[in-house]
Amino acid sequence: MTDPVIVVGAGPTGLMLACELGLAGAPVVVLDRRDTPDPRSPGQAVNAAVMELLEQRGLADELRESGLPLPGAHFSLLWLRPELVAGPHRVGGGLLVPQARLADVLERRARALGVDIRRGQEVTQLRQSAGSVTLRLRTNDGESTLRGSYVVAADGAGSTVRTLAGIGFPGGDWTVSGIVGDVVADLSEVAVNHLGAHYTASGGVYSGAPAGPGTLRVITTLFGDLPSGPAAGTGEVAQEELQREIEELTGRRLPAREVVWAERFTSVSGNAECYRAGRVFLAGDAAHSFYPLGGLRLSTCLQDAVNLGWKLAADLAGWAPPGLLDTYHAERHPEGERARLALDAQLALMHPAARAAGARSLVADLSRFEDVNRYLVELVTGVDLRYRLGADGAAGSVDPDPALGGRVPGAAPLLHDGRGLLLLSDAPAGTGGASSRTAEGWSDRIATASASAAGETGSALLRPDGHVVWAEGSGELEAALKNWFGAPR
């Protein structure tokens, strides 16, 4: 029997990865050191890129039932105009929904797919061999061991698994601290400057958004060298400390009746040296970390999970072509660094306030140009993701084929089963169209559908994560099938 993939961390990244593996029928065990799901997750919104991924697996509608539309997008809280961006991506399609709600939806889907989720399990040791990885665990009942075919670290920026695997975590100088929490308040009594996300005159950030009936999720950030700035750290904070930071940022106290919970958080800027060390992979915050602003951090995390999941499943199923697992680092490491630098750039436009004022004014002026607005909107929402794939299908090609590497948003409903997808144009085979007969040997890994069902006209081959790896005029279809889906049956 095949050893399972062990995913360490039951946050959104780990659970999304578990769903991908479970959908493909791969054995998977999720470990988490907490005894119960954490209801105090800091995230309060998901952006358009996250919604695209969830749409692709049929999970978006359930979130929409309990979320509120999140119009708009910003770069360093300089507001952009996503409605002016043409194209199939709905860059204004984010949702205001607590991260804990997203985790709940993903956990229920994972359990429905047969995923084994074990809580109260803390990793203390890691040992690799040629064909497996063994973890030493501390549990409520003592110590135990667990062997897996692979281990994926999805255990956060301070990842224990990453440390045990000996993977370095270099980064920038940014270390940002703030407070996040939920307060009970009558929203009709809350002032306008206590709602929404704001960059304040003091050079800090305040955000307030509904987190449930009569509940407001608040996030404050005071940068370190401000006179009243906080020391970096974590842990619970008292109501008065939270009110003091809110008042400094907004100019008035929040009419809160009760603080449900509040804790200090610290974000560091870093990107792991590599996303794979033998049979250990890194995903999400364990791979890259930066200040959470606008949903880019969460979308980057979930894109890791969807990229890695089908590749691990292919390896366990025995049909992965040579080098497939290595494409995970080749594709995701540059994206982790790009997202990290994008957030560092946004922080540089905030602090120190007096020095950043000129640059903020300039970027605000530049964003009025249509091309700049489009670039920034697509960057901060994460919908511009395109892997650099050459016509031979290799990742990281110097001269990438512009037809490859991107996504087909209209194909999302056709990707619910987690298989690859061959879109067939209406053109007869031999006159530019692809034939379904070519893909018959891969029918256990690839579905076929009319290109018109995805809003396209030409034939294209999509990986299970939705990225195009072949299109008409980009080489031979059979070569692409072998390159990404292995040998035919």
Side-chain angles (χ1 to χ4, degrees):
M1 182 176 179
T2 303
D3 288 329
V5 175
I6 303 173
V7 179
V8 182
T13 303
L15 292 170
M16 186 75 186
L17 176 60
C19 288
E20 293 294 290
L21 291 163
L23 189 61
V28 54
V29 176
V30 178
L31 306 177
D32 197 89
R33 63 182 179 83
R34 296 179 181 273
D35 292 327
T36 59
D38 185 7
R40 308 193 302 177
S41 55
Q44 60 183 345
V46 297
N47 67 8
V50 175
M51 293 306 294
E52 276 194 5
L53 293 177
L54 298 173
E55 192 84 59
Q56 191 169 271
R57 296 297 185 249
L59 292 163
D61 287 345
E62 186 174 359
L63 271 183
R64 290 193 183 100
E65 291 175 1
S66 57
L68 298 173
L70 185 69
H74 65 82
F75 186 83
S76 192
L77 290 169
L78 294 168
W79 292 92
L80 305 168
R81 297 168 294 167
E83 69 278 3
L84 300 183
V85 177
H89 295 286
R90 304 310 305 152
V91 293
L95 274 183
L96 194 62
V97 58
Q99 182 177 310
R101 169 63 175 156
L102 170 61
D104 177 64
V105 168
L106 291 173
E107 179 164 344
R108 284 189 284 107
R109 170 60 66 88
R111 291 187 183 277
L113 291 168
V115 172
D116 183 0
I117 300 176
R118 306 178 187 179
R119 297 190 178 274
Q121 311 263 329
E122 184 177 1
V123 177
T124 58
Q125 295 179 25
L126 182 152
R127 184 177 71 255
Q128 293 199 56
S129 66
S132 65
V133 188
T134 301
L135 298 180
R136 186 77 175 174
L137 306 174
R138 182 185 297 120
T139 74
N140 295 332
D141 299 322
E143 294 194 342
S144 64
T145 59
L146 180 64
R147 190 178 75 176
S149 54
Y150 295 98
V151 168
V152 181
D155 52 343
S159 171
T160 297
V161 174
R162 185 185 66 224
T163 301
L164 292 173
I167 301 174
F169 197 66
D173 296 329
W174 286 110
T175 299
V176 180
S177 181
I179 298 175
V180 58
D182 286 344
V183 302
V184 176
D186 185 341
L187 298 186
S188 67
E189 299 175 356
V190 175
V192 65
N193 51 344
H194 286 149
L195 293 172
H198 309 280
Y199 174 70
T200 69
S202 63
V205 175
Y206 169 83
S207 173
T215 304
L216 191 70
R217 170 69 50 82
V218 295
I219 303 176
T220 68
T221 302
L222 288 169
F223 292 98
D225 61 356
L226 291 174
S228 62
T234 58
E236 294 186 4
V237 299
Q239 178 172 345
E240 192 53 40
E241 185 178 356
L242 174 62
Q243 282 284 13
R244 186 165 56 249
E245 290 203 4
I246 292 174
E247 188 170 2
E248 178 162 349
L249 289 167
T250 67
R252 59 191 301 177
R253 290 178 67 86
L254 178 68
R257 299 174 180 176
E258 177 188 354
V259 174
V260 180
W261 65 274
E263 62 185 25
R264 188 167 294 286
F265 68 90
T266 297
S267 294
V268 298
S269 174
N271 193 28
E273 292 174 342
C274 57
Y275 287 7
R276 180 187 185 184
R279 290 183 168 269
V280 177
F281 292 82
L282 309 182
D285 288 346
H288 41 73
S289 178
F290 40 85
Y291 181 63
L293 188 67
L296 184 58
R297 180 166 167 175
L298 182 58
S299 67
T300 306
C301 291
L302 295 193
Q303 285 163 349
D304 289 347
V306 176
N307 184 291
L308 179 59
W310 74 274
K311 296 173 182 178
L312 285 174
D315 182 86
L316 266 61
W319 58 259
L324 181 66
L325 290 180
D326 290 331
T327 65
Y328 174 65
H329 170 86
E331 293 175 355
R332 294 306 303 159
H333 190 271
E335 291 301 320
E337 183 67 1
R338 180 173 181 248
R340 183 184 74 85
L341 293 177
L343 261 297
D344 281 2
Q346 294 183 67
L347 293 179
L349 291 174
M350 292 181 175
H351 178 74
R355 189 176 300 171
R360 286 185 70 82
S361 177
L362 176 61
V363 173
D365 287 342
L366 289 173
S367 69
R368 296 188 178 97
F369 291 94
E370 183 177 345
D371 288 346
V372 177
N373 177 71
R374 177 186 300 106
Y375 176 83
L376 293 177
V377 167
E378 293 181 347
L379 171 65
V380 299
T381 57
V383 300
D384 65 344
L385 176 61
R386 175 181 292 274
Y387 296 127
R388 295 173 60 84
L389 306 177
D392 60 355
S397 172
V398 176
D399 297 309
D401 187 323
L404 305 182
R407 295 170 56 83
V408 180
L414 306 175
L415 290 163
H416 286 185
D417 66 0
R419 291 188 294 168
L421 177 65
L422 176 61
L423 297 174
L424 299 169
S425 73
D426 295 331
T431 62
S435 169
S436 61
R437 290 192 298 274
T438 306
E440 285 179 354
W442 292 268
S443 61
D444 58 328
R445 302 156 230 173
I446 296 170
T448 58
S450 169
S452 60
E456 298 292 303
T457 56
S459 298
L461 176 65
L462 280 60
R463 307 188 314 195
D465 60 1
H467 288 272
V468 178
V469 292
W470 174 85
E472 291 179 21
S474 297
E476 295 296 323
L477 172 59
E478 185 174 356
L481 287 164
K482 291 179 179 178
N483 187 72
W484 288 102
F485 295 94
R489 289 181 302 173

